[in-house]
Amino acid sequence: MKRSSEALQAGGFKVVSDNDFVICYVRFIPEEAIIVICSTDEETREVNIPVNIFGIRHFNITEDLFHNKLQYEYSGASLTMKVPPHTSYIFCVPCQ
């Protein structure tokens, strides 16, 4: 995957959430954002991701690259993900 994604090879890096044993970071270039969420928590948590700062204007992804179903609310400026215990997600979102 790293060889096929410019965002993973040379993109920017920003931690957008680090709470309750759940971390979320984004690797990004102007054309795409790779969002990674990892939970080691014992409870389901919500992660708020300010997707508008990466140029993401639309979000309609239903599953991640591992085919895990995503549970979220999208407001246009932010994405609020429900993250079950001990779950990880990685997904690619086109920007602008």
Side-chain angles (χ1 to χ4, degrees):
M1 179 177 183
K2 183 176 179 179
R3 291 182 178 159
S4 65
S5 171
E6 186 180 344
L8 291 176
Q9 291 176 15
F13 175 87
K14 181 164 184 66
V15 174
V16 294
S17 180
D18 184 13
N19 297 311
D20 299 317
F21 301 101
V22 180
I23 187 167
C24 175
Y25 65 89
V26 181
R27 295 291 310 264
F28 57 94
I29 58 173
E31 296 80 25
E32 72 176 358
I34 307 289
I35 300 173
V36 178
I37 303 170
C38 299
S39 172
T40 59
D41 206 322
E42 298 293 331
E43 300 178 29
T44 297
R45 299 293 181 179
E46 288 191 351
V47 176
N48 186 31
I49 306 165
V51 294
N52 63 328
I53 66 174
F54 303 104
I56 297 171
R57 302 289 181 246
H58 305 285
F59 191 90
N60 59 1
I61 296 172
T62 59
E63 61 182 32
D64 75 347
L65 296 175
F66 302 118
H67 305 289
N68 296 313
K69 300 290 182 202
L70 301 178
Q71 295 181 2
Y72 64 86
E73 291 182 22
Y74 174 66
S75 72
S78 68
L79 177 68
T80 303
M81 296 281 304
K82 282 193 176 184
V83 183
H86 303 286
T87 301
S88 296
Y89 297 113
I90 182 168
F91 46 96
C92 180
V93 185
C95 299
Q96 302 183 3

